[in-house]
């Protein structure tokens, strides 16, 4: 079993829809949670970064962390065609060996006109 | 004014050759990383340097040798390239070990 599970999609939604992207994880030692957006032939771009359980909002994006359920979500409101990309969740745990991000496999999102 | 830049963007070479990839960041960060993204788009860390000191060295063949000449630069040298080395290699940086990592646009390595 992978440490981080993410539905690969593809997920297709109409413009203006609310998008929900999710990841589950198995290791309760994970403490830092991130969402990255990756356009084709580009590097991952940091969208959200959070440490604690609860919600964090930034513009149209809301990140939600539920450590008790080992579940994280990213919500995108009023989705736009420019949001079409692959969304990667990532998480890390405090170790003596530095910050190793563990990524999900990514969810491909397409927002259609 | 690219924050994390990698050269070259594309690298096509023959099996058995030796090649290097370079990374530079102008964010003033002190920690840099190399990741490998395979054909299934799965990203996995390879190495990390903090203030020019190697702090992460994952289970990577010793044909891969990173080098950090200063805090703003991180290079990756690969000896005796194999078909399985074909992938996209991403460089990333962060300010401190526990701050978010910012990625470059990758180097696409293809082995013929």
């Amino acid at each position: 079993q992978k440490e981080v599970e993410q539905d690969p999609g593809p997920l297709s939604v109409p413009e203006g829809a609310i998008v929900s992207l999710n990841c589950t994880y198995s290791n309760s030692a994970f403490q830092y949670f991130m969402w990255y957006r990756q356009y084709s032939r580009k590097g991952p771009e940091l969208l959200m970064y959070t440490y604690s359980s609860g919600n964090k909002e930034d513009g149209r994006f809301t990140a939600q962390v539920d450590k008790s359920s080992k579940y994280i979500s990213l919500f995108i409101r009023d989705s736009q065609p420019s949001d079409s990309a692959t969304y990667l969740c990532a998480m890390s745990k405090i170790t003596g060996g530095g910050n190793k991000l563990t990524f999900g496999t990514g969810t491909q999102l397409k927002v259609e006109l | 004014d690219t924050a994390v830049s990698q050269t070259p963007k594309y690298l096509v070479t023959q099996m058995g050759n030796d090649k290097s990839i370079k990374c530079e960041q102008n964010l003033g960060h002190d920690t840099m990383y190399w990741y490998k993204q395979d054909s299934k788009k799965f990203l996995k860390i390879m190495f990390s340097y903090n203030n020019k000191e190697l702090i992460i060295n994952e289970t990577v063949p010793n044909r891969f040798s990173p080098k950090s000449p200063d805090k703003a630069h991180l290079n990756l040298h690969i000896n005796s390239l194999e078909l399985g080395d074909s992938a996209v290699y991403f460089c990333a940086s962060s300010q401190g070990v526990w701050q978010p990592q910012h990625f470059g646009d990758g180097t696409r390595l293809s082995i013929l």
Side-chain angles (χ1 to χ4, degrees):
Chain A
Q1 184 189 6
K2 291 178 183 174
E3 279 192 293
V4 179
E5 298 278 357
Q6 185 175 9
D7 187 336
L11 178 62
S12 184
V13 301
E15 183 179 9
I18 297 174
V19 176
S20 172
L21 303 166
N22 311 296
C23 287
T24 59
Y25 60 96
S26 56
N27 192 334
S28 58
F30 285 130
Q31 295 185 320
Y32 297 88
F33 303 92
M34 286 135 279
W35 284 96
Y36 285 86
R37 176 175 63 194
Q38 187 174 20
Y39 291 114
S40 180
R41 298 199 166 269
K42 291 290 188 179
E45 173 192 0
L46 181 68
L47 286 177
M48 301 290 279
Y49 173 74
T50 183
Y51 173 73
S52 57
S53 282
N55 293 353
K56 182 177 181 179
E57 190 173 318
D58 184 1
R60 295 185 297 113
F61 299 94
T62 299
Q64 193 173 76
V65 174
D66 183 346
K67 288 187 177 180
S68 62
S69 302
K70 300 193 186 68
Y71 189 88
I72 68 170
S73 300
L74 178 71
F75 298 95
I76 307 174
R77 290 181 296 282
D78 188 25
S79 56
Q80 304 294 310
S82 59
D83 295 328
S84 299
T86 297
Y87 289 80
L88 300 155
C89 64
M91 46 198 79
S92 62
K93 51 186 180 281
I94 296 176
T95 69
N99 188 0
K100 305 177 190 178
L101 286 186
T102 301
F103 281 87
T105 50
T107 299
Q108 189 178 350
L109 171 67
K110 185 173 183 181
V111 181
E112 297 180 337
L113 290 168
Chain B
D1 60 340
T2 305
V4 181
S5 59
Q6 297 179 227
T7 54
K9 293 188 188 311
Y10 298 93
L11 187 51
V12 181
T13 190
Q14 302 275 0
M15 201 164 53
N17 284 351
D18 303 338
K19 290 293 179 185
S20 290
I21 305 171
K22 297 181 184 293
C23 178
E24 176 181 3
Q25 54 92 5
N26 62 6
L27 297 167
H29 290 169
D30 60 4
T31 307
M32 297 185 73
Y33 311 80
W34 280 115
Y35 285 83
K36 180 180 180 180
Q37 189 172 46
D38 61 24
S39 57
K40 295 183 180 178
K41 306 296 185 185
F42 185 64
L43 265 167
K44 188 169 169 56
I45 192 163
M46 300 172 69
F47 303 102
S48 177
Y49 275 77
N50 175 252
N51 285 315
K52 301 195 299 176
E53 180 184 349
L54 183 65
I55 59 171
I56 295 175
N57 186 353
E58 287 296 272
T59 308
V60 176
N62 57 15
R63 298 182 295 103
F64 291 77
S65 50
K67 188 170 183 180
S68 181
D70 56 57
K71 288 194 294 184
H73 296 85
L74 181 62
N75 303 324
L76 182 66
H77 187 76
I78 315 171
N79 288 324
S80 303
L81 281 157
E82 300 178 357
L83 290 175
D85 298 332
S86 294
V88 184
Y89 293 85
F90 286 100
C91 176
S93 71
S94 64
Q95 180 49 40
V97 176
W98 299 110
Q99 293 303 308
Q101 297 175 23
H102 298 266
F103 286 76
D105 281 338
T107 295
R108 282 153 185 80
L109 175 62
S110 296
I111 310 302
L112 303 178

